[in-house]
Amino acid sequence: MRDNIKLIIARYQEDISWVDDLDYDYIVYDKGGKPVQNAVHLANIGREAHTYFTHIVREYDSLAPVNVFLQGDPFDHIGDQGKGDVKTLQNHIEDVADRGVPFKGFAWFKLKCDRLGRPHDLHKPENEGRWAGWGKDIPLAEIFEKLFDADFPRQLVARAPTGIFAVTGDRIRTRPKAFYEYALRLVEADPDDANNTGHAFERLWQHIFNGNVAWNRNDYEKL
């Protein structure tokens, strides 16, 4: 079973020594100034969405049966009220693999969002300067309707709001490679996340991987 699992890690400068305790195949995409050994270096743009879409585009035809997408330090987003550890993460991964779950977010919480990604903390005074898009809303409906041949719902439930999740290769390929190439272009067009495009994708992962092929557009190559 372990041979069917691959971890895709979006690292900045985090200590990722924990990955060796899991004993799964993994790849590290590094955006920090001090890359780890054997990591793939990427420009520091587009948050983890840029990393994830880069991997999917590069590996589309040879994705692992189970792909686990992780940030460099995932533990404050998993477990009971964010008190997760390596064992918590391993339990999540093995549960998905054992039950054949096509997609699962690992965050301990979920979000209910409106068209502008509210509620969010991008207006809080104490967060000023932490993000280029501070003070702005999140273009959730805009990105949703660019990606899909569907109208944005009245309210969207984000079940993988922290960008930590597992998805099967087969489920990823329910959308064409051109879909992910287009999504990558959207992220690259907002490299500093000044418009909060990356924040929008944090709330869209379960919809990207929901397997609803009726949502696929037929013109991604032209966009």
Side-chain angles (χ1 to χ4, degrees), residues 82-104:
K83 299 177 181 178
D85 55 18
V86 171
K87 185 61 177 178
T88 308
L89 179 58
Q90 186 174 32
N91 288 342
H92 277 304
I93 295 170
E94 292 185 354
D95 176 66
V96 167
D98 290 345
R99 295 193 295 119
V101 177
F103 173 85
K104 183 180 180 181

Side-chain angles (χ1 to χ4, degrees), residues 16-72:
I16 59 167
S17 57
W18 51 265
V19 72
D20 291 321
D21 295 330
L22 289 169
D23 196 28
Y24 299 122
D25 185 22
Y26 67 89
I27 183 169
V28 178
Y29 290 94
D30 198 292
K31 295 184 175 183
K34 297 180 179 180
V36 295
Q37 187 175 10
N38 298 323
V40 177
H41 179 72
L42 296 178
N44 186 22
I45 63 173
R47 303 177 69 85
E48 71 271 6
H50 173 260
T51 301
Y52 296 173
F53 290 134
T54 295
H55 178 79
I56 290 171
V57 168
R58 291 182 177 185
E59 305 292 332
Y60 185 83
D61 293 319
S62 56
L63 291 162
V66 178
N67 303 271
V68 182
F69 291 87
L70 301 167
Q71 297 179 1

